[in-house]
Amino acid sequence: MARDYQSFAAFWPFYLREHGRSATRALHYIGTSLVVLIALFALFSGRWVWLLALPVAGYAFAWVAHFGVEKNRPATFTYPLWSLAADFRMWWLWLTGRLGPELDRAGVTRGRFER
């Protein structure tokens, strides 16, 4: 049963728990990294048609992660904007080595590459 979150701060721990397996998070990191790279490529090359690949790159990895690894329903189906923001927050915190404490607070086990 979905809970009605009233703030992003309340949603964030739920989001992390929905990404409880490190393989799920790793697939999200790949997808989000591809989204950023494709967006930068389109911006700097002027090949705007590449922007059409953004949802494919982002969602393909995320859905494989949720349906194949995590065995849950992606939070984006219920909370699309907060999930998008949380995807980028999780990716940035992982990239900058600051995700570990957030996972700890949410009660999620850290993966091998999550400090």
Side-chain angles (χ1 to χ4, degrees):
M1 182 165 88
R3 185 173 163 199
D4 186 23
Y5 292 98
Q6 299 298 313
S7 69
F8 183 78
F11 173 77
W12 175 242
F14 163 77
Y15 174 88
L16 291 176
R17 287 188 295 272
E18 290 293 295
H19 298 78
R21 295 175 180 256
S22 61
T24 299
R25 294 189 301 277
L27 286 166
H28 275 67
Y29 303 149
I30 293 167
T32 304
S33 296
L34 281 174
V35 164
V36 170
L37 291 173
I38 291 167
L40 290 172
F41 174 77
L43 178 67
F44 289 110
S45 71
R47 296 180 181 174
W48 304 113
V49 70
W50 277 89
L51 295 177
L52 296 173
L54 293 179
V56 175
Y59 286 123
F61 286 92
W63 289 0
V64 165
H66 284 287
F67 295 124
V69 177
E70 200 72 41
K71 308 284 192 226
N72 65 10
R73 187 173 181 260
T76 194
F77 291 168
T78 308
Y79 303 98
L81 296 179
W82 281 354
S83 291
L84 180 62
D87 282 342
F88 280 99
R89 182 179 184 188
M90 181 175 72
W91 174 78
W92 183 251
L93 290 172
W94 167 74
L95 201 62
T96 59
R98 299 178 299 156
L99 183 61
E102 298 287 328
L103 295 172
D104 294 344
R105 279 191 286 280
V108 176
T109 303
R110 294 182 192 202
R112 183 177 184 175
F113 300 105
E114 295 166 327
R115 313 185 283 281

